[in-house]
Amino acid sequence: MSAGIEEDTVPLLRARLERTEQQAASRQRQLERYAADLREVFKQERTRAQELRRSYRATVRALSNAVEARDAYTGKHAERVTAYGMELARAVGLSLEESPQIEFGFLLHDIGKVAVPDAILFKTSKLTDEEYALIAQHPVVGAEILRDVDFLGEGKLVVRHHHERWDGTGYPDGLAGEEIPLAARVFSVADTLDALTTDRPYRPASPWDEARAEIRRFSGTQFDPTVVDAFDQIPDEQFARLRGAL
């Protein structure tokens, strides 16, 4: 009797095991299809995100070029200072992957100057107090222009605060030390480097070593000492290569 039961049970167990294996294989194939679908969706989303970012960058660069078109002497200033600033941002540990809007802020830092009359903006003699006060409003005007442009994110902080100073004597808000957004502190050094190493009608460009010494001289007053230390780790040749690539 028990032998008969055993003979009946073995095929049943085999059949049950076979069904279980088939079900497991079916679930595995289904999971693989799900994974393939997810990979395809992720790929499509990444492609759309890259296309959108390219569109944003093209829009920002067009706007930046429109601002610079007013002044032949500052041609490509925004692109140069952005290249320097991005290099310096990496050196101080800013995550450009997490905060890609920083680049947009660098490019658009002077957009508020569209509200400054040419007679004041391009004046070669000393500015009056009233004229200087008008120019000093360009970070506020720029931030206001960009206020509702959501994709610029913290790049708008660079536009508003790129003339703040480490010692609190800058403008427009008189922020001091680490109250100033790090990206704006980085930009301040990059902006000064470009200003010192570019010819202007009223003065020739300084050599790289003299520009570097000038920036060091104002570490702790105009500039964040930590940013200046990071700046000192980047060789002149790297900045020169960035400039030559534009």
Side-chain angles (χ1 to χ4, degrees):
M1 184 72 173
S2 61
I5 294 174
E6 185 177 341
E7 289 175 2
D8 291 339
T9 302
V10 170
L12 289 173
L13 290 174
R14 285 177 179 166
R16 187 179 300 170
L17 179 60
E18 191 173 317
R19 284 197 302 273
T20 301
E21 289 175 346
Q22 290 173 348
Q23 290 170 354
S26 177
R27 283 196 294 269
Q28 178 66 26
R29 288 192 296 271
Q30 190 176 37
L31 287 172
E32 288 173 355
R33 287 195 296 270
Y34 286 160
D37 289 344
L38 284 172
R39 284 194 296 270
E40 183 61 26
V41 169
F42 177 76
K43 181 179 177 181
Q44 292 173 0
E45 288 298 321
R46 183 173 59 184
T47 299
R48 279 195 287 267
Q50 289 171 343
E51 290 173 351
L52 188 59
R53 177 158 175 75
R54 282 194 292 269
S55 176
Y56 285 162
R57 183 181 282 111
T59 299
V60 168
R61 286 189 180 278
L63 189 53
S64 172
N65 290 338
V67 172
E68 291 208 327
R70 296 179 67 197
D71 184 1
Y73 290 106
T74 62
K76 291 202 171 183
H77 161 69
E79 291 191 26
R80 288 194 305 270
V81 79
T82 297
Y84 300 159
M86 297 291 277
E87 186 74 13
L88 187 50
R90 294 184 190 95
V92 301
L94 269 171
S95 174
L96 302 179
E97 289 73 24
E98 294 178 8
S99 303
Q101 305 94 338
I102 289 171
E103 178 185 5
F104 299 153
F106 290 172
L107 283 166
L108 295 176
H109 66 281
D110 270 346
I111 190 172
K113 285 185 177 178
V114 297
V116 180
D118 288 356
I120 297 176
L121 191 60
F122 306 135
K123 186 176 179 180
T124 55
S125 57
K126 185 177 179 181
L127 296 173
T128 66
D129 290 343
E130 292 78 11
E131 290 169 339
Y132 181 81
L134 182 59
I135 287 182
Q137 283 300 304
H138 80 268
V140 176
V141 173
E144 183 63 22
I145 290 172
L146 302 174
R147 181 184 59 186
D148 296 324
V149 185
D150 293 337
F151 76 81
L152 292 176
E154 63 183 289
K156 289 180 279 191
L157 296 177
V158 176
V159 174
R160 184 176 181 95
H161 298 298
H162 67 279
H163 280 295
E164 305 285 2
R165 290 173 52 110
W166 184 253
D167 61 8
T169 63
Y171 61 89
D173 299 315
L175 301 184
E178 294 185 0
E179 293 177 334
I180 306 167
L182 178 55
R185 285 179 262 152
V186 165
F187 178 87
S188 180
V189 173
D191 190 35
T192 300
L193 177 66
D194 185 59
L196 292 172
T197 56
T198 301
D199 282 324
R200 291 288 188 270
Y202 46 86
R203 62 154 179 78
S206 300
W208 291 98
D209 57 342
E210 290 183 12
R212 191 178 288 276
E214 184 74 0
I215 288 171
R216 278 197 214 99
R217 189 161 71 91
F218 288 97
S219 177
T221 53
Q222 183 174 351
F223 307 118
D224 177 350
T226 301
V227 175
V228 174
D229 289 344
F231 167 70
D232 273 337
Q233 302 306 309
I234 303 171
D236 296 342
E237 294 76 15
Q238 177 62 10
F239 288 118
R241 278 194 295 271
L242 292 170
R243 187 185 192 94
L246 298 174

